[in-house]
Amino acid sequence: MIRDWHEQPRAEIDLTEYLPESYLAGSLSAAATVSDEQELKRILAEAAMLGVDLLTPEGPES
Amino acid sequence: MRIKGLRVDGFGVFRNLEIGGLSEGLNVFYGPNEAGKTTLMQFVRSVFYGFSPERRRYLAAVDAGQSGGMLQIVAAEGRVDVVRRANGGEPTGGESVTVNYPDGTRQGEPALKTILGSIDEHLFNHVFCVGLRELQELGTLTDTQAATMLYHMSSGLGSISLIDVVRSLEEARNRILDAGGGPCEISRLLEQRNRLRAEIEQIGRISHDFGRLSGEQARVERDLAMLEEETRRLRHEVRLAEIAAAVQPLWLQRDSTQRQLAAFGPAESIPEDAVHRLEAIGDRLGKRREYLSRWKAAWSKLCHEARALKVNETLERLAPRIEALREQEGWLSTLAARSAELKAEIEETEARFALQRRQFGLSEVGANQLSGLSTSAIQALRRPARAMKRARAAVEEAQKALAQEEERALSLAEQVEKDLQAWNADDLQTALERQGQAVSQLRRRAQIDQRLEQMVEHQGQLEAQAHHLIDNQVMPTWVMLTMGGTFIAGSVLLLTLAIYSRGGFSYWGWPLAILWIIGLAAIVSTKAVWERASARRLTACRRQASMLEAQVKEIRREREHLDRNLPPGEGSIQQRLRVAEKELAELEAFVGRDAQRQAAQSSAESAAERLERAKQAASDAQKRWRQALVSIGLPADLVPAQVRDLLSQNEEMADLRRRLEHRYEELKQRNREREGARRIADLLAEAGLVSPPDNPAAGLSLLRRALAEQETRQKRLAELRSKARRLRRKRKRVDKSVRQLKSYRRRLLRAAGAADENQLRSRVMRLAEVNGLRNRLLGIDRQIEAAIGGYCPSETIAEALQGQSAETLRGCRQALVEKLAGAEKALRQASEQRGRFAEQLRLLSDDRGPAARQLEMNTVERQLADALHRWRVRAVACRTLADLRAAYERDRQPETLQEASDYLQRMTGGRYGRVWTPLDEDVLYVDDREGNPRSVEILSHGTREQLFICLRLALAAAFARRGR
């Protein structure tokens, strides 16, 4: 998904599926849609780092 | 491992069933219902895993020695036979298993478990040996190795589980912002932000009222101070009025008492308890006088009683001797009776002793000798007695054995004699040989008949075969017609081609011509080979027939020879043979009986010899017994029983003799003791007492009573003397006390300044009245002080009471109380107002102010933005990992499921393609042609069976690849 975004940039990411119904009509509904390009890149980069960290087994401490 | 064959010795409906040569591919056993297909499957399960209680019902109708069977398998060790047998059809019966290896070694259950490896019975029954029932039970594979093969999908990278990562990421995301609307970090921050906004608005409103509240509070403080001072003053005046009203009656009583006390004048000095002490002295003097009168009476009585008591001095001197005789009082009373009893007993014992002596014919001297027999002499008699007893018992036993053996030998001899007469033979051996020869001839005769019958049957078969060969010597008509038709058709085809191609063959002409020539050659050669083979088989058949005919003739000649030599008889040969064999068996039984007769005869002779030896031993034992009797002086004709009676009677006689001697001795002793009774009469005379004649017991009783009376008088005299001494001592003490009391009374009157007792009493009464008034005045003062309670000096109360009546005091107090209530009410209201102002001002002063709230508001806004950013990052990561999970479930299914998918695709003709399991569940889904996943439960019955067969085929293939 992240690679797809980098190869074919799209306008925004819609995360409202993870938003509770009580917040859909409030100020948080705007926060569930990321449209700013810089913000979008930053979120994708951090998400990729987080995924790699979680899926990487902890090696012996050096 | 593969099953190559099986042999069922006994299992269910099968007995001695053997199936071999099973191919490596598919082997199909088919048959109608109840043919035993399921029984064969249960047999295979039983051989591998034993006869479970459920499978033991297949053994119910099978003999214990033939239940079970064998499986031939090809395992890693090579070709192996597995044999399992049950000891019976009972549910608790035992069983045994044997594994036979190609090299001849045999092993048991452990070897079978090694061959089966880790395939347990449950897995075997649900994967490799599946019935219709197990086919529908896919869930039973849970918790087995098969489940691992079906559901163990690679779920992550290395040791990291993708499912665990997704779950932890979702939990982290929900902690920031819960998708279900539960408590989370962002909802908490939003609530905090809303609260801060409301607080900032409230603070703005309150700050305007702060100045007004401060002015109001200062005014209330001043009013409050004045009201407190007024209230304190009024409370004091009210309290003074209350105390004055309370003490006014006491104040008046105190004035009256002081006036009465002043009227008595100056006080006198008299001891306080002078009258009481004077009265006590008088009481004590009266008691002393009463005691003195009682003392005089007691003294007079004592003197009179002492004079009345008299003492016998002689009797007192004889007291020790009388006491010594008192100990024999009871014995003296029974002495005469005991002497008479002893005489009678002596006479009776002498009579019994004489009677027993006469009974055994012994003189008095002999009886005395018998009593002198020592224990060793008696012991010496026991050994020859026992030897004689054993010898007599041996003689009796030998006589019984001889009688039994003679009777048995006679019985057997009579039976053998009867048998020989029945067989009309003088010698049993000759009869036995003759009968054995007859049986042998009859058996040979029966064998010849059987063989002749087989030869005739074989002869018939050879003739039928010869006829068949003759019939088939010429090629069958249909073959001839086929070959001739083919030849004619080929010829017509060739001619047609030659005619229509105008002198030459076309493109197909020559190959057909060559084919026609080859076919013609094949027909001719086939016909020649056929006829030659038929002729060869016919010749061999005829040769065998001629040889068989010669053998038949030879055997018939032998049968005629045997018929001539056979003993005469009726019935068929088989019947005669059975009769002859039965007779031979009876003759063999006779041989055994004759041997028993000879053995019984020999036993009887041995018993007779043992009887003679026993009689000789009994005679020797009797001689030794007589010698032993003579050696100890007893008659030689006594038997052991008589000696035993004599010895037992001898002990009784000795006992009688000893008892007689004891009685004589005791009688002498009693006679001596009766002489001592004369001393009693002497004592009576000396003490001056008169005794009854010839009755020492009565005399002794008289002495004892006189002595007891004397002792009583002595004791009473001693008591009287002691009492007189005590009375004299008491009289002295009372006289002294009376003198002291009189002296004390005189000193008391002098100290009070009174001439006598009456004058003293009047002065004491006046002093008591003065003391009463003083005590009353003191009590009133204490009550007044208690009423004031230290609140103010008594002078202040005196001023308040000056010229005031009780009514005036109550009115004044009531007015003061009403004024105090009004002041206290105003004070409470002012205090409450001051508290409200103070609380409002405290809230305003404690508040951190708008700047602090705004700073906190900014912090919350920043935390909220940070939380939203983290939530977005985790939401994007969750979506990415969900895509990754879908890719895993699509591309990384277990190998077993992929193989099952291939089978299912082929079975269903492509209608269902993919069998797969989700990453985090042990369930199966099947994708249809369009790729839609379907749960196993919603598939049709037939599709589900196909799926389960595919799964088991894939599992079997997986186990096979592992080498099982």
Side-chain angles (χ1 to χ4, degrees), chain A residues 1 14 17-20 23 28 31 39 42-43 46-47 54, chain B residues 160 165 169 173 177-179 187 868-869 872-873 875 879-880:
Chain A
M1 172 186 176
D14 186 8
E17 63 178 305
Y18 300 120
L19 202 63
Y23 292 131
L28 286 182
E39 178 67 11
R42 184 176 155 220
I43 287 173
E46 289 186 17
L54 291 174
Chain B
I160 302 295
V165 169
L169 199 56
R173 193 195 69 216
L177 179 58
D178 188 11
S187 66
L868 275 173
H869 177 73
R872 286 170 174 168
V873 171
R879 181 176 289 176
T880 308

PDB file of all heavy atoms in Angstrom, chain A residues 1 14 17-20 23 28 31 39 42-43 46-47 54, chain B residues 160 165 169 173 177-179 187 868-869 872-873 875 879-880:
ATOM      1  N   MET A   1       0.834  -1.198   0.000  1.00  0.00           N
ATOM      2  CA  MET A   1       0.000   0.000   0.000  1.00  0.00           C
ATOM      3  C   MET A   1       0.870   1.249   0.000  1.00  0.00           C
ATOM      4  O   MET A   1       0.653   2.178  -0.778  1.00  0.00           O
ATOM      5  CB  MET A   1      -0.902  -0.018   1.256  1.00  0.00           C
ATOM      6  CG  MET A   1      -1.685   1.251   1.471  1.00  0.00           C
ATOM      7  SD  MET A   1      -2.561   1.168   3.057  1.00  0.00           S
ATOM      8  CE  MET A   1      -3.277   2.800   3.072  1.00  0.00           C
ATOM      9  N   ASP A  14      -8.355   8.278   3.352  1.00  0.00           N
ATOM     10  CA  ASP A  14      -9.578   8.345   4.146  1.00  0.00           C
ATOM     11  C   ASP A  14      -9.519   7.254   5.223  1.00  0.00           C
ATOM     12  O   ASP A  14      -9.483   6.061   4.909  1.00  0.00           O
ATOM     13  CB  ASP A  14     -10.799   8.122   3.249  1.00  0.00           C
ATOM     14  CG  ASP A  14     -12.090   8.330   4.021  1.00  0.00           C
ATOM     15  OD1 ASP A  14     -11.998   8.795   5.182  1.00  0.00           O
ATOM     16  OD2 ASP A  14     -13.169   8.032   3.471  1.00  0.00           O
ATOM     17  N   GLU A  17     -13.070   4.782   8.373  1.00  0.00           N
ATOM     18  CA  GLU A  17     -13.537   3.429   8.767  1.00  0.00           C
ATOM     19  C   GLU A  17     -13.078   3.085  10.181  1.00  0.00           C
ATOM     20  O   GLU A  17     -13.670   2.220  10.844  1.00  0.00           O
ATOM     21  CB  GLU A  17     -13.005   2.382   7.782  1.00  0.00           C
ATOM     22  CG  GLU A  17     -11.495   2.280   7.776  1.00  0.00           C
ATOM     23  CD  GLU A  17     -11.012   1.194   6.827  1.00  0.00           C
ATOM     24  OE1 GLU A  17     -11.460   0.058   6.988  1.00  0.00           O
ATOM     25  OE2 GLU A  17     -10.205   1.499   5.937  1.00  0.00           O
ATOM     26  N   TYR A  18     -11.995   3.707  10.663  1.00  0.00           N
ATOM     27  CA  TYR A  18     -11.512   3.447  12.015  1.00  0.00           C
ATOM     28  C   TYR A  18     -12.057   4.440  13.025  1.00  0.00           C
ATOM     29  O   TYR A  18     -11.684   4.416  14.189  1.00  0.00           O
ATOM     30  CB  TYR A  18      -9.975   3.519  12.047  1.00  0.00           C
ATOM     31  CG  TYR A  18      -9.323   2.501  11.134  1.00  0.00           C
ATOM     32  CD1 TYR A  18      -8.490   2.898  10.099  1.00  0.00           C
ATOM     33  CD2 TYR A  18      -9.548   1.139  11.319  1.00  0.00           C
ATOM     34  CE1 TYR A  18      -7.898   1.977   9.267  1.00  0.00           C
ATOM     35  CE2 TYR A  18      -8.957   0.211  10.481  1.00  0.00           C
ATOM     36  CZ  TYR A  18      -8.139   0.622   9.465  1.00  0.00           C
ATOM     37  OH  TYR A  18      -7.565  -0.295   8.642  1.00  0.00           O
ATOM     38  N   LEU A  19     -12.914   5.361  12.592  1.00  0.00           N
ATOM     39  CA  LEU A  19     -13.428   6.411  13.463  1.00  0.00           C
ATOM     40  C   LEU A  19     -14.759   5.956  14.061  1.00  0.00           C
ATOM     41  O   LEU A  19     -15.603   5.399  13.363  1.00  0.00           O
ATOM     42  CB  LEU A  19     -13.638   7.683  12.620  1.00  0.00           C
ATOM     43  CG  LEU A  19     -13.658   9.006  13.374  1.00  0.00           C
ATOM     44  CD1 LEU A  19     -12.312   9.252  14.053  1.00  0.00           C
ATOM     45  CD2 LEU A  19     -13.965  10.148  12.400  1.00  0.00           C
ATOM     46  N   PRO A  20     -14.956   6.146  15.397  1.00  0.00           N
ATOM     47  CA  PRO A  20     -16.245   5.750  15.982  1.00  0.00           C
ATOM     48  C   PRO A  20     -17.375   6.622  15.446  1.00  0.00           C
ATOM     49  O   PRO A  20     -17.148   7.784  15.051  1.00  0.00           O
ATOM     50  CB  PRO A  20     -16.035   5.964  17.487  1.00  0.00           C
ATOM     51  CG  PRO A  20     -14.847   6.836  17.616  1.00  0.00           C
ATOM     52  CD  PRO A  20     -14.007   6.613  16.413  1.00  0.00           C
ATOM     53  N   TYR A  23     -18.037  10.305  16.544  1.00  0.00           N
ATOM     54  CA  TYR A  23     -17.154  11.378  16.129  1.00  0.00           C
ATOM     55  C   TYR A  23     -17.310  11.719  14.642  1.00  0.00           C
ATOM     56  O   TYR A  23     -16.613  12.600  14.143  1.00  0.00           O
ATOM     57  CB  TYR A  23     -15.687  10.999  16.381  1.00  0.00           C
ATOM     58  CG  TYR A  23     -15.358  10.910  17.865  1.00  0.00           C
ATOM     59  CD1 TYR A  23     -14.701   9.813  18.381  1.00  0.00           C
ATOM     60  CD2 TYR A  23     -15.705  11.939  18.733  1.00  0.00           C
ATOM     61  CE1 TYR A  23     -14.399   9.728  19.720  1.00  0.00           C
ATOM     62  CE2 TYR A  23     -15.399  11.860  20.073  1.00  0.00           C
ATOM     63  CZ  TYR A  23     -14.756  10.755  20.579  1.00  0.00           C
ATOM     64  OH  TYR A  23     -14.467  10.684  21.889  1.00  0.00           O
ATOM     65  N   LEU A  28     -13.478  15.722  14.617  1.00  0.00           N
ATOM     66  CA  LEU A  28     -12.512  14.675  14.285  1.00  0.00           C
ATOM     67  C   LEU A  28     -12.722  14.075  12.902  1.00  0.00           C
ATOM     68  O   LEU A  28     -11.851  13.398  12.383  1.00  0.00           O
ATOM     69  CB  LEU A  28     -12.563  13.546  15.318  1.00  0.00           C
ATOM     70  CG  LEU A  28     -11.947  13.866  16.681  1.00  0.00           C
ATOM     71  CD1 LEU A  28     -12.022  12.651  17.568  1.00  0.00           C
ATOM     72  CD2 LEU A  28     -10.504  14.294  16.508  1.00  0.00           C
ATOM     73  N   ALA A  31     -10.150  15.218  10.779  1.00  0.00           N
ATOM     74  CA  ALA A  31      -8.828  14.670  11.070  1.00  0.00           C
ATOM     75  C   ALA A  31      -8.650  13.281  10.468  1.00  0.00           C
ATOM     76  O   ALA A  31      -7.533  12.811  10.288  1.00  0.00           O
ATOM     77  CB  ALA A  31      -8.607  14.608  12.579  1.00  0.00           C
ATOM     78  N   GLU A  39       2.007  16.291   4.939  1.00  0.00           N
ATOM     79  CA  GLU A  39       1.518  15.481   6.071  1.00  0.00           C
ATOM     80  C   GLU A  39       1.335  14.018   5.665  1.00  0.00           C
ATOM     81  O   GLU A  39       1.665  13.086   6.404  1.00  0.00           O
ATOM     82  CB  GLU A  39       0.182  16.075   6.557  1.00  0.00           C
ATOM     83  CG  GLU A  39      -0.484  15.334   7.695  1.00  0.00           C
ATOM     84  CD  GLU A  39       0.297  15.421   8.994  1.00  0.00           C
ATOM     85  OE1 GLU A  39       1.250  16.226   9.079  1.00  0.00           O
ATOM     86  OE2 GLU A  39      -0.022  14.642   9.927  1.00  0.00           O
ATOM     87  N   ARG A  42       4.651  12.263   5.468  1.00  0.00           N
ATOM     88  CA  ARG A  42       5.197  12.027   6.810  1.00  0.00           C
ATOM     89  C   ARG A  42       4.492  10.841   7.482  1.00  0.00           C
ATOM     90  O   ARG A  42       5.120   9.954   8.067  1.00  0.00           O
ATOM     91  CB  ARG A  42       4.990  13.295   7.637  1.00  0.00           C
ATOM     92  CG  ARG A  42       5.595  13.226   9.005  1.00  0.00           C
ATOM     93  CD  ARG A  42       5.414  14.562   9.715  1.00  0.00           C
ATOM     94  NE  ARG A  42       5.427  14.378  11.137  1.00  0.00           N
ATOM     95  CZ  ARG A  42       4.652  15.002  12.001  1.00  0.00           C
ATOM     96  NH1 ARG A  42       3.800  15.878  11.556  1.00  0.00           N
ATOM     97  NH2 ARG A  42       4.761  14.791  13.280  1.00  0.00           N
ATOM     98  N   ILE A  43       3.172  10.784   7.359  1.00  0.00           N
ATOM     99  CA  ILE A  43       2.412   9.676   7.970  1.00  0.00           C
ATOM    100  C   ILE A  43       2.789   8.350   7.330  1.00  0.00           C
ATOM    101  O   ILE A  43       2.992   7.330   8.012  1.00  0.00           O
ATOM    102  CB  ILE A  43       0.902   9.949   7.832  1.00  0.00           C
ATOM    103  CG1 ILE A  43       0.495  11.064   8.799  1.00  0.00           C
ATOM    104  CG2 ILE A  43       0.097   8.695   8.122  1.00  0.00           C
ATOM    105  CD1 ILE A  43      -0.922  11.528   8.630  1.00  0.00           C
ATOM    106  N   GLU A  46       6.219   7.231   8.618  1.00  0.00           N
ATOM    107  CA  GLU A  46       6.189   6.739   9.996  1.00  0.00           C
ATOM    108  C   GLU A  46       5.465   5.388  10.090  1.00  0.00           C
ATOM    109  O   GLU A  46       5.858   4.503  10.856  1.00  0.00           O
ATOM    110  CB  GLU A  46       5.516   7.768  10.897  1.00  0.00           C
ATOM    111  CG  GLU A  46       6.366   8.996  11.106  1.00  0.00           C
ATOM    112  CD  GLU A  46       5.734   9.929  12.125  1.00  0.00           C
ATOM    113  OE1 GLU A  46       4.852   9.490  12.874  1.00  0.00           O
ATOM    114  OE2 GLU A  46       6.137  11.106  12.164  1.00  0.00           O
ATOM    115  N   ALA A  47       4.386   5.232   9.305  1.00  0.00           N
ATOM    116  CA  ALA A  47       3.673   3.946   9.299  1.00  0.00           C
ATOM    117  C   ALA A  47       4.572   2.831   8.794  1.00  0.00           C
ATOM    118  O   ALA A  47       4.567   1.705   9.317  1.00  0.00           O
ATOM    119  CB  ALA A  47       2.413   4.047   8.440  1.00  0.00           C
ATOM    120  N   LEU A  54       7.675  -3.586  14.047  1.00  0.00           N
ATOM    121  CA  LEU A  54       6.840  -4.643  14.648  1.00  0.00           C
ATOM    122  C   LEU A  54       7.109  -6.004  14.030  1.00  0.00           C
ATOM    123  O   LEU A  54       7.015  -7.028  14.707  1.00  0.00           O
ATOM    124  CB  LEU A  54       5.359  -4.284  14.484  1.00  0.00           C
ATOM    125  CG  LEU A  54       4.872  -3.096  15.301  1.00  0.00           C
ATOM    126  CD1 LEU A  54       3.436  -2.747  14.941  1.00  0.00           C
ATOM    127  CD2 LEU A  54       4.965  -3.409  16.784  1.00  0.00           C
TER     128      LEU A  54
ATOM    129  N   ILE B 160       8.046 -13.831  14.469  1.00  0.00           N
ATOM    130  CA  ILE B 160       7.004 -12.821  14.681  1.00  0.00           C
ATOM    131  C   ILE B 160       5.724 -13.294  14.007  1.00  0.00           C
ATOM    132  O   ILE B 160       5.720 -13.681  12.848  1.00  0.00           O
ATOM    133  CB  ILE B 160       7.423 -11.476  14.086  1.00  0.00           C
ATOM    134  CG1 ILE B 160       8.731 -11.007  14.694  1.00  0.00           C
ATOM    135  CG2 ILE B 160       6.335 -10.437  14.310  1.00  0.00           C
ATOM    136  CD1 ILE B 160       8.656 -10.691  16.160  1.00  0.00           C
ATOM    137  N   VAL B 165       0.954  -9.184  15.553  1.00  0.00           N
ATOM    138  CA  VAL B 165       1.330  -7.804  15.245  1.00  0.00           C
ATOM    139  C   VAL B 165       0.090  -6.983  14.911  1.00  0.00           C
ATOM    140  O   VAL B 165      -0.092  -5.858  15.402  1.00  0.00           O
ATOM    141  CB  VAL B 165       2.330  -7.782  14.078  1.00  0.00           C
ATOM    142  CG1 VAL B 165       2.525  -6.362  13.569  1.00  0.00           C
ATOM    143  CG2 VAL B 165       3.663  -8.354  14.515  1.00  0.00           C
ATOM    144  N   LEU B 169      -1.261  -3.881  17.112  1.00  0.00           N
ATOM    145  CA  LEU B 169      -1.391  -2.572  16.465  1.00  0.00           C
ATOM    146  C   LEU B 169      -2.818  -2.033  16.609  1.00  0.00           C
ATOM    147  O   LEU B 169      -3.030  -0.846  16.881  1.00  0.00           O
ATOM    148  CB  LEU B 169      -1.030  -2.712  14.984  1.00  0.00           C
ATOM    149  CG  LEU B 169      -0.675  -1.428  14.256  1.00  0.00           C
ATOM    150  CD1 LEU B 169       0.457  -0.712  14.951  1.00  0.00           C
ATOM    151  CD2 LEU B 169      -0.285  -1.747  12.817  1.00  0.00           C
ATOM    152  N   ARG B 173      -3.932   1.356  18.459  1.00  0.00           N
ATOM    153  CA  ARG B 173      -4.768   2.356  17.795  1.00  0.00           C
ATOM    154  C   ARG B 173      -6.024   2.645  18.601  1.00  0.00           C
ATOM    155  O   ARG B 173      -6.421   3.798  18.777  1.00  0.00           O
ATOM    156  CB  ARG B 173      -5.165   1.816  16.416  1.00  0.00           C
ATOM    157  CG  ARG B 173      -5.756   2.860  15.503  1.00  0.00           C
ATOM    158  CD  ARG B 173      -6.448   2.204  14.343  1.00  0.00           C
ATOM    159  NE  ARG B 173      -7.642   1.519  14.792  1.00  0.00           N
ATOM    160  CZ  ARG B 173      -8.094   0.371  14.309  1.00  0.00           C
ATOM    161  NH1 ARG B 173      -7.437  -0.249  13.351  1.00  0.00           N
ATOM    162  NH2 ARG B 173      -9.191  -0.189  14.763  1.00  0.00           N
ATOM    163  N   LEU B 177      -7.646   6.017  19.959  1.00  0.00           N
ATOM    164  CA  LEU B 177      -9.012   6.377  19.588  1.00  0.00           C
ATOM    165  C   LEU B 177      -9.762   5.070  19.325  1.00  0.00           C
ATOM    166  O   LEU B 177      -9.504   4.390  18.326  1.00  0.00           O
ATOM    167  CB  LEU B 177      -9.021   7.259  18.321  1.00  0.00           C
ATOM    168  CG  LEU B 177     -10.415   7.674  17.831  1.00  0.00           C
ATOM    169  CD1 LEU B 177     -11.167   8.424  18.920  1.00  0.00           C
ATOM    170  CD2 LEU B 177     -10.302   8.556  16.590  1.00  0.00           C
ATOM    171  N   ASP B 178     -10.653   4.732  20.262  1.00  0.00           N
ATOM    172  CA  ASP B 178     -11.337   3.449  20.186  1.00  0.00           C
ATOM    173  C   ASP B 178     -12.401   3.487  19.100  1.00  0.00           C
ATOM    174  O   ASP B 178     -13.284   4.362  19.112  1.00  0.00           O
ATOM    175  CB  ASP B 178     -11.975   3.137  21.545  1.00  0.00           C
ATOM    176  CG  ASP B 178     -12.526   1.723  21.574  1.00  0.00           C
ATOM    177  OD1 ASP B 178     -12.216   0.957  20.634  1.00  0.00           O
ATOM    178  OD2 ASP B 178     -13.245   1.386  22.530  1.00  0.00           O
ATOM    179  N   ALA B 179     -12.301   2.544  18.133  1.00  0.00           N
ATOM    180  CA  ALA B 179     -13.268   2.514  17.040  1.00  0.00           C
ATOM    181  C   ALA B 179     -14.664   2.172  17.541  1.00  0.00           C
ATOM    182  O   ALA B 179     -15.657   2.497  16.897  1.00  0.00           O
ATOM    183  CB  ALA B 179     -12.824   1.484  15.995  1.00  0.00           C
ATOM    184  N   SER B 187     -10.535  10.718  23.528  1.00  0.00           N
ATOM    185  CA  SER B 187     -11.786  11.118  24.178  1.00  0.00           C
ATOM    186  C   SER B 187     -11.495  11.788  25.509  1.00  0.00           C
ATOM    187  O   SER B 187     -12.150  12.772  25.879  1.00  0.00           O
ATOM    188  CB  SER B 187     -12.664   9.885  24.382  1.00  0.00           C
ATOM    189  OG  SER B 187     -12.043   9.016  25.295  1.00  0.00           O
ATOM    190  N   LEU B 868      -3.733  12.570  17.627  1.00  0.00           N
ATOM    191  CA  LEU B 868      -4.363  12.374  16.321  1.00  0.00           C
ATOM    192  C   LEU B 868      -3.344  11.931  15.279  1.00  0.00           C
ATOM    193  O   LEU B 868      -3.623  11.053  14.451  1.00  0.00           O
ATOM    194  CB  LEU B 868      -5.029  13.680  15.863  1.00  0.00           C
ATOM    195  CG  LEU B 868      -6.444  13.896  16.393  1.00  0.00           C
ATOM    196  CD1 LEU B 868      -6.925  15.283  16.027  1.00  0.00           C
ATOM    197  CD2 LEU B 868      -7.392  12.843  15.845  1.00  0.00           C
ATOM    198  N   HIS B 869      -2.151  12.523  15.349  1.00  0.00           N
ATOM    199  CA  HIS B 869      -1.115  12.124  14.401  1.00  0.00           C
ATOM    200  C   HIS B 869      -0.723  10.655  14.604  1.00  0.00           C
ATOM    201  O   HIS B 869      -0.626   9.875  13.644  1.00  0.00           O
ATOM    202  CB  HIS B 869       0.109  13.028  14.577  1.00  0.00           C
ATOM    203  CG  HIS B 869       1.243  12.633  13.686  1.00  0.00           C
ATOM    204  ND1 HIS B 869       1.230  12.854  12.315  1.00  0.00           N
ATOM    205  CD2 HIS B 869       2.415  12.005  13.948  1.00  0.00           C
ATOM    206  CE1 HIS B 869       2.336  12.390  11.782  1.00  0.00           C
ATOM    207  NE2 HIS B 869       3.084  11.870  12.775  1.00  0.00           N
ATOM    208  N   ARG B 872      -3.373   8.420  13.244  1.00  0.00           N
ATOM    209  CA  ARG B 872      -3.347   8.312  11.780  1.00  0.00           C
ATOM    210  C   ARG B 872      -2.247   7.330  11.349  1.00  0.00           C
ATOM    211  O   ARG B 872      -2.461   6.489  10.465  1.00  0.00           O
ATOM    212  CB  ARG B 872      -3.059   9.682  11.158  1.00  0.00           C
ATOM    213  CG  ARG B 872      -4.236  10.642  11.208  1.00  0.00           C
ATOM    214  CD  ARG B 872      -3.746  12.001  10.795  1.00  0.00           C
ATOM    215  NE  ARG B 872      -4.775  12.978  10.676  1.00  0.00           N
ATOM    216  CZ  ARG B 872      -4.551  14.266  10.548  1.00  0.00           C
ATOM    217  NH1 ARG B 872      -3.301  14.718  10.556  1.00  0.00           N
ATOM    218  NH2 ARG B 872      -5.533  15.116  10.418  1.00  0.00           N
ATOM    219  N   VAL B 873      -1.049   7.434  11.977  1.00  0.00           N
ATOM    220  CA  VAL B 873       0.053   6.540  11.611  1.00  0.00           C
ATOM    221  C   VAL B 873      -0.350   5.087  11.841  1.00  0.00           C
ATOM    222  O   VAL B 873      -0.153   4.214  10.997  1.00  0.00           O
ATOM    223  CB  VAL B 873       1.313   6.902  12.430  1.00  0.00           C
ATOM    224  CG1 VAL B 873       2.388   5.845  12.232  1.00  0.00           C
ATOM    225  CG2 VAL B 873       1.829   8.270  12.026  1.00  0.00           C
ATOM    226  N   ALA B 875      -3.405   3.852  12.080  1.00  0.00           N
ATOM    227  CA  ALA B 875      -4.499   3.459  11.177  1.00  0.00           C
ATOM    228  C   ALA B 875      -3.948   3.083   9.803  1.00  0.00           C
ATOM    229  O   ALA B 875      -4.366   2.086   9.197  1.00  0.00           O
ATOM    230  CB  ALA B 875      -5.502   4.603  11.069  1.00  0.00           C
ATOM    231  N   ARG B 879      -4.100  -0.687   8.074  1.00  0.00           N
ATOM    232  CA  ARG B 879      -4.626  -0.992   6.741  1.00  0.00           C
ATOM    233  C   ARG B 879      -3.575  -1.715   5.912  1.00  0.00           C
ATOM    234  O   ARG B 879      -3.875  -2.663   5.186  1.00  0.00           O
ATOM    235  CB  ARG B 879      -5.049   0.318   6.049  1.00  0.00           C
ATOM    236  CG  ARG B 879      -5.635   0.081   4.681  1.00  0.00           C
ATOM    237  CD  ARG B 879      -6.117   1.332   4.054  1.00  0.00           C
ATOM    238  NE  ARG B 879      -7.321   1.820   4.714  1.00  0.00           N
ATOM    239  CZ  ARG B 879      -7.911   2.963   4.391  1.00  0.00           C
ATOM    240  NH1 ARG B 879      -7.404   3.735   3.458  1.00  0.00           N
ATOM    241  NH2 ARG B 879      -9.013   3.339   4.998  1.00  0.00           N
ATOM    242  N   THR B 880      -2.324  -1.295   6.019  1.00  0.00           N
ATOM    243  CA  THR B 880      -1.252  -1.946   5.265  1.00  0.00           C
ATOM    244  C   THR B 880      -1.101  -3.406   5.680  1.00  0.00           C
ATOM    245  O   THR B 880      -0.977  -4.314   4.851  1.00  0.00           O
ATOM    246  CB  THR B 880       0.076  -1.208   5.519  1.00  0.00           C
ATOM    247  OG1 THR B 880      -0.132   0.173   5.268  1.00  0.00           O
ATOM    248  CG2 THR B 880       1.156  -1.733   4.623  1.00  0.00           C
TER     249      THR B 880
END
